[in-house]
Amino acid sequence: MTDATTPLKDRPLETGEDLRSLIELLLDRANRRQMWLMFIDDRGCLGDPLMPMDDYPDDPTVMTRTDDLGEVDHATLLMHRIGMLREMTGNAAVVLVWERLGSSVVGVEDREWSRAMLDAAAALDVPLRAQFVLHNRGVRALHLGDLT
């Protein structure tokens, strides 16, 4: 990542390690179960807003009904709303951070949510750049191999 004198909003996030370092700087360690929504702007830097979301469902595949989408699973609904927010804020991409207490080991819920969000992003054409787990000791990037 760029030197520490460059403001956070102006640091290019070119690699996964750049993103991981930024998340660790901003969020440090897990405090509770929640999902952080981050945006990457068209320069490849941190965009606005940075949003926490707690109280998301345990299971991303449970169906729910909405007026605008009809019956969809929770992952599709959440990714649809994230895509709308990305467009409204003029950002280029999305990064998801799954905060939860525990170790860096990728668990069942981590896999289920990250896989469901990856699938929903692809189906809805939402540019999902990366996903991470924020745990008790830091930040871990989620890779495709972690999701199987």
Side-chain angles (χ1 to χ4, degrees):
M1 199 164 15
T2 309
D3 72 79
T5 61
T6 303
L8 287 179
K9 295 282 189 176
D10 294 327
R11 294 182 188 182
L13 301 167
E14 298 170 351
T15 68
E17 181 56 26
D18 290 342
L19 275 169
R20 194 203 64 72
S21 294
L22 176 69
I23 292 164
E24 194 164 65
L25 180 65
L26 291 173
L27 304 177
D28 191 34
R29 306 280 184 263
N31 293 308
R32 56 195 274 188
R33 181 185 182 269
Q34 62 185 341
M35 186 268 297
W36 288 87
L37 173 58
M38 300 174 67
F39 293 102
I40 306 299
D41 67 19
D42 59 357
R43 301 172 304 150
C45 300
L46 180 64
D48 286 321
L50 172 64
M51 297 176 56
M53 186 187 97
D54 61 359
D55 201 29
Y56 62 92
D58 292 331
D59 185 346
T61 64
V62 170
M63 302 301 284
T64 187
R65 177 167 278 303
T66 67
D67 290 338
D68 58 336
L69 299 176
E71 190 165 338
V72 295
D73 62 50
H74 285 293
T76 300
L77 175 59
L78 182 55
M79 188 54 73
H80 181 269
R81 300 304 191 243
I82 289 170
M84 289 173 57
L85 188 55
R86 182 194 66 83
E87 287 180 13
M88 289 185 326
T89 57
N91 284 294
V94 174
V95 175
L96 301 177
V97 181
W98 303 98
E99 179 181 351
R100 49 99 175 125
L101 298 175
S103 74
S104 65
V105 174
V106 178
V108 172
E109 185 176 339
D110 301 324
R111 276 193 297 280
E112 288 174 352
W113 266 105
S114 54
R115 188 175 343 142
M117 294 300 276
L118 184 65
D119 292 346
L124 297 167
D125 201 27
V126 175
L128 177 59
R129 175 155 166 203
Q131 296 185 76
F132 294 85
V133 170
L134 178 65
H135 53 84
N136 287 4
R137 299 183 70 193
V139 180
R140 177 187 174 145
L142 290 170
H143 302 286
L144 288 177
D146 294 323
L147 308 185
T148 57

